[in-house]
Amino acid sequence: MTNSIPEFETDSNCFLIIGSNTSEGHPLIATRVLRAKQRGAKVIVLDPRKNQIGHWADVFYTFRPGSDVALFNGLLNIIITEGLADQAFIAERTENFEEMKALVAEFPAERVADLTGVPVEGLYTVARLYATQKPAAILYAMGITQHTTGVDNVKSVANLAMLTGNLGIPGGGVNPLRGQNNVQGSCDMGGLPNVFPGYQPVTNPETIAKFSKAWSSSLPTPNSPLSNKIGLTVTEMISAAGEGKIRALYVMAENPMLSEADINHTRHCLEKTEFLIVQDIFLTETAQLAHVVLPGASFAEKDGTFTNSDRRVQRVRRAVRPVGDSWPDWEIICHLAGKMGAGGFDFVSPQAVMAEVAQLTPSYGGITYERLEELGGLQWPCPTTEHPGTPYLHKNRFSRGLGHFFAVPFKEPAELPDQDYPFTLTTGRIMFHYHTGTMTRRSKKLDSEARQAYLELHPDDAQKIGLNGSRRVRVSSRRGQIELNVRVTERIKPGVVFIPFHFAEAAANVLTNLAIDPIAKIPEFKVCAVRVEALSGTEHRGGTDHRSGESERRTRRDE
Ligand SMILES: Nc1nc2c(c(=O)[nH]1)N[C@H]1C(S)=C(S)[C@@H](COP(=O)(O)OP(=O)(O)OC[C@H]3O[C@@H](n4cnc5c(=O)[nH]c(N)nc54)[C@H](O)[C@@H]3O)O[C@H]1N2
Ligand SMILES: Nc1nc2c(c(=O)[nH]1)N[C@H]1C(S)=C(S)[C@@H](COP(=O)(O)OP(=O)(O)OC[C@H]3O[C@@H](n4cnc5c(=O)[nH]c(N)nc54)[C@H](O)[C@@H]3O)O[C@H]1N2
Ligand SMILES: [Mo]
């Protein structure tokens, strides 16, 4: 995020929420948005479904999944032609405005209404409101990124914020609401194929020299430098394993057998992997395919830090002792590295790990356990121990100097509905479950709130497929098929269906398309084509209660 979560409550005068089911996925952030609304801030929600936050919005429109770039180009064009652009900001802080302007001129409101399904007057309402109620924050999540055009969508978001001068100010910004508690921290620590900690590129010779020196005792031969080759992303690794290009996979805290697109393909690839190690806190669908399972300790059983969505590093403290033979992940890694003959993994505590992080990662340079204890949290960049941390980015200049406007042409998703597969499937989350359900489906309370998979279907479509009072359907795509219950609802547009991806017994990812964004390599989880057929029969729990029993596996020795 360019800005900070607390600013939403105190500073923002307008929110443009697109592709984010904020109140179900990020309820605490949604609360701040709603408090801002109480003091008069405007809330615009654009989403293919009338999600919960959409009900509370001042302005809400549904649009066709995958038409985001067209929608943004339309809004950019209106703001420019209505003279609502921030000329001073464009002149002083940006470049390439003319090229972007020429492209968006090809997106008059009438054409955009056709492409997206948002009415012409709706486009004007949104554009005018967002451009005039400064500071305005854009909040987005997976509805923007999980597309073959994910990077294009994000560039479009940035165009809109720059055009209106909504960057480098409190309460504005481009704010991707990050997913897991520590996904920001994982990326910051180099859990990406192309960078070392602090986004220092592996292709930079100086960076290689720096880390090779610092980690020399861990290298197979002390004087050989670290690799400067860009690695593969998760999705690419799995396919590479299927092709025999990767022989061993070490999967830590991921359950790709449910979370990757096209599960039949994923299973095939994982079964072909010569050596599969899974480190998890439960025996997941993926762990069941593994040659070795290493039991990790959960968040409540270990010390460390998490870095949240607004770059804030905070302490997490052990509340209970690890159960059974489980260990904190960092200890497992250090132990394993030691067994493999690597030096330099003899950390005595997470605090010692953090000291090395500060030494090698300029943006974390001033973050120490002592300061975190004292201040509660610190937002990077925080280069020195005197630095107070950074609540919002790009104050007087962008990291690259000038902000670059991109001319982003509109491309359709990889798979569109046709005669054989006439519906557009979009997938996502619900409030009560977390991803592959390893944790939440073991919680009695959460499980009782949402026990089974379902498909959201518009009433007109229910009639079209001849549902006739039945609650069961078969959903098929070119990759596979599942059976599940239906919720007939006007939340969803006709022609579009939604399935939450939490449920192993009717896994949405059996259906999804593995087509990926050429740059970010993220699969198109949000759009694929499916067929929906009514089955006779009534609602039932759909499959066996596959989790019970397993949950008893981890006996609580320490209680
Ligand atoms: N309860 C709960 N909370 C979670 C999680 C969870 O599993 N459960 N997971 C966490 C994680 S890791 C993440 S990444 C976040 C994700 O949080 P979100 O991204 O908010 O969640 P999603 O349900 O994936 O989808 C968001 C919205 O995108 C919309 N959408 C679908 N297709 C399109 C499209 O083509 N364009 C646009 N613009 N929007 C579209 C959906 O209708 C939905 O409202 O949530 C985090 N929070
Ligand atoms: N169709 C569809 N698919 C999607 C998405 C979508 O919107 N639609 N969203 C995608 C997104 S944004 C995400 S983030 C992924 C999520 O995909 P995954 O990360 O594969 O899903 P999780 O269920 O969160 O899996 C995390 C695993 O970590 C384990 N775990 C939890 N805490 C710890 C710990 O401290 N240590 C260890 N070792 N293990 C731990 C859990 O038991 C669980 O098995 O799914 C993606 N897949
Ligand atoms: Mo995520």
Side-chain angles (χ1 to χ4, degrees):
M1 282 171 58
T2 59
N3 286 59
S4 289
I5 295 164
E7 289 166 29
F8 297 156
E9 189 172 345
T10 51
D11 298 276
S12 306
N13 279 326
C14 181
F15 299 90
L16 174 58
I17 301 180
I18 179 161
S20 154
N21 186 359
T22 326
S23 54
E24 295 200 59
H26 299 89
L28 298 181
I29 295 179
T31 305
R32 306 232 187 212
V33 171
L34 296 177
R35 286 205 197 119
K37 184 176 150 76
Q38 280 170 359
R39 66 163 164 74
K42 298 290 179 210
V43 182
I44 306 166
V45 175
L46 303 172
D47 200 286
R49 296 159 59 224
K50 186 144 193 174
N51 55 19
Q52 201 179 41
I53 193 98
H55 283 281
W56 294 319
D58 297 290
V59 176
F60 172 81
Y61 288 100
T62 54
F63 64 101
R64 182 169 65 94
S67 65
D68 298 73
V69 166
L71 180 57
F72 279 105
N73 283 347
L75 297 175
L76 292 162
N77 185 44
I78 293 173
I79 292 170
I80 295 169
T81 51
E82 297 252 297
L84 300 174
D86 186 333
Q87 299 301 341
F89 188 90
I90 295 167
E92 285 157 31
R93 305 256 340 240
T94 69
E95 62 185 20
N96 211 35
F97 172 72
E98 291 302 328
E99 196 183 325
M100 183 275 288
K101 182 179 165 188
L103 183 118
V104 302
E106 295 167 24
F107 289 82
E110 294 69 23
R111 179 178 174 216
V112 174
D114 279 347
L115 285 171
T116 63
V118 181
V120 169
E121 64 280 10
L123 295 167
Y124 276 90
T125 306
V126 172
R128 286 176 184 146
L129 196 59
Y130 171 78
T132 54
Q133 297 280 315
K134 263 167 101 167
I138 304 179
L139 275 52
Y140 72 87
M142 294 301 116
I144 285 290
T145 51
Q146 291 175 337
H147 294 276
T148 47
T149 58
V151 170
D152 286 347
N153 291 350
V154 172
K155 285 177 179 167
S156 302
V157 172
N159 279 345
L160 191 61
M162 288 195 296
L163 184 70
T164 50
N166 269 306
L167 281 166
I169 51 171
V174 169
N175 300 290
L177 309 181
R178 304 233 49 173
Q180 295 109 333
N181 52 346
N182 197 30
V183 64
Q184 183 66 49
S186 310
C187 295
D188 296 349
M189 291 305 106
L192 292 167
N194 56 340
V195 289
F196 285 110
Y199 306 95
Q200 301 173 79
V202 298
T203 48
N204 180 341
E206 280 168 37
T207 305
I208 288 287
K210 169 178 160 177
F211 282 93
S212 300
K213 188 166 167 234
W215 293 344
S216 62
S217 61
S218 316
L219 296 170
T221 46
N223 294 321
S224 66
L226 287 158
S227 168
N228 61 359
K229 258 177 66 182
I230 293 178
L232 301 178
T233 63
V234 175
T235 302
E236 290 175 305
M237 279 182 217
I238 288 176
S239 291
E243 292 160 18
K245 290 183 190 154
I246 285 183
R247 295 174 56 200
L249 266 180
Y250 185 169
V251 178
M252 198 188 310
E254 287 258 346
N255 187 11
M257 271 300 298
L258 267 191
S259 61
E260 274 296 316
D262 193 352
I263 292 179
N264 288 324
H265 168 77
T266 305
R267 182 185 300 105
H268 162 80
C269 296
L270 293 178
E271 282 173 351
K272 275 201 73 175
T273 309
E274 274 176 59
F275 188 34
L276 180 64
I277 311 161
V278 172
Q279 182 168 319
D280 205 288
I281 59 172
F282 290 111
L283 193 68
T284 62
E285 288 74 10
T286 311
Q288 287 171 33
L289 297 179
H291 300 100
V292 176
V293 179
L294 299 171
S298 74
F299 71 96
E301 300 163 325
K302 58 193 175 200
D303 281 303
T305 60
F306 291 150
T307 307
N308 80 354
S309 221
D310 60 10
R311 298 165 282 104
R312 193 186 311 267
V313 184
Q314 289 168 293
R315 280 279 279 118
V316 54
R317 296 176 186 82
R318 191 174 96 164
V320 285
R321 291 169 60 187
V323 295
D325 293 330
S326 64
W327 289 5
D329 294 295
W330 71 272
E331 277 189 63
I332 300 178
I333 298 164
C334 291
H335 210 75
L336 203 63
K339 290 265 185 211
M340 290 168 82
F345 280 85
D346 45 359
F347 299 102
V348 293
S349 63
Q351 186 166 8
V353 178
M354 202 64 180
E356 192 197 79
V357 169
Q359 219 172 31
L360 294 172
T361 316
S363 51
Y364 276 67
I367 301 180
T368 64
Y369 269 42
E370 289 78 13
R371 292 192 78 199
L372 292 177
E373 291 293 347
E374 188 192 323
L375 301 168
L378 273 166
Q379 286 172 283
W380 66 258
C382 178
T384 65
T385 46
E386 286 74 49
H387 195 284
T390 309
Y392 61 92
L393 302 177
H394 315 309
K395 190 168 176 184
N396 295 313
R397 80 184 279 281
F398 291 102
S399 344
R400 68 182 294 278
L402 292 177
H404 189 88
F405 279 110
F406 284 94
V408 188
F410 171 60
K411 289 192 210 88
E412 290 285 2
E415 192 180 58
L416 288 174
D418 56 19
Q419 254 189 336
D420 294 334
Y421 298 96
F423 287 94
T424 298
L425 167 69
T426 189
T427 62
R429 300 155 170 77
I430 57 175
M431 166 95 81
F432 302 107
H433 286 299
Y434 195 72
H435 300 153
T436 69
T438 59
M439 297 175 281
T440 48
R441 292 193 81 192
R442 285 188 170 81
S443 151
K444 278 205 184 96
K445 180 73 190 141
L446 294 173
D447 183 57
S448 69
E449 295 284 357
R451 306 211 71 183
Q452 52 193 335
Y454 62 86
L455 170 97
E456 284 182 1
L457 183 73
H458 191 273
D460 296 352
D461 290 331
Q463 205 168 18
K464 250 189 222 158
I465 67 161
L467 202 55
N468 285 335
S470 160
R471 302 278 311 260
R472 245 7 233 168
V473 288
R474 177 181 302 123
V475 186
S476 350
S477 78
R478 289 183 176 82
R479 274 76 49 196
Q481 60 179 48
I482 59 173
E483 289 179 14
L484 72 179
N485 295 327
V486 180
R487 282 192 193 171
V488 176
T489 168
E490 289 185 356
R491 281 182 88 174
I492 192 116
K493 277 170 90 71
V496 181
V497 293
F498 167 80
I499 304 177
F501 78 106
H502 309 295
F503 301 91
E505 62 279 11
N509 280 326
V510 166
L511 305 167
T512 48
N513 189 0
L514 194 52
I516 57 177
D517 180 279
I519 298 166
K521 318 281 184 182
I522 193 171
E524 193 141 62
F525 288 123
K526 290 290 183 264
V527 185
C528 74
V530 295
R531 182 167 58 230
V532 183
E533 295 157 283
L535 297 174
S536 54
T538 48
E539 183 167 2
H540 64 80
R541 193 179 151 110
T544 51
D545 191 358
H546 71 299
R547 303 266 181 206
S548 58
E550 245 176 73
S551 52
E552 310 308 323
R553 199 180 60 86
R554 302 177 79 222
T555 45
R556 283 223 163 253
R557 237 193 235 162
D558 306 319
E559 270 174 5

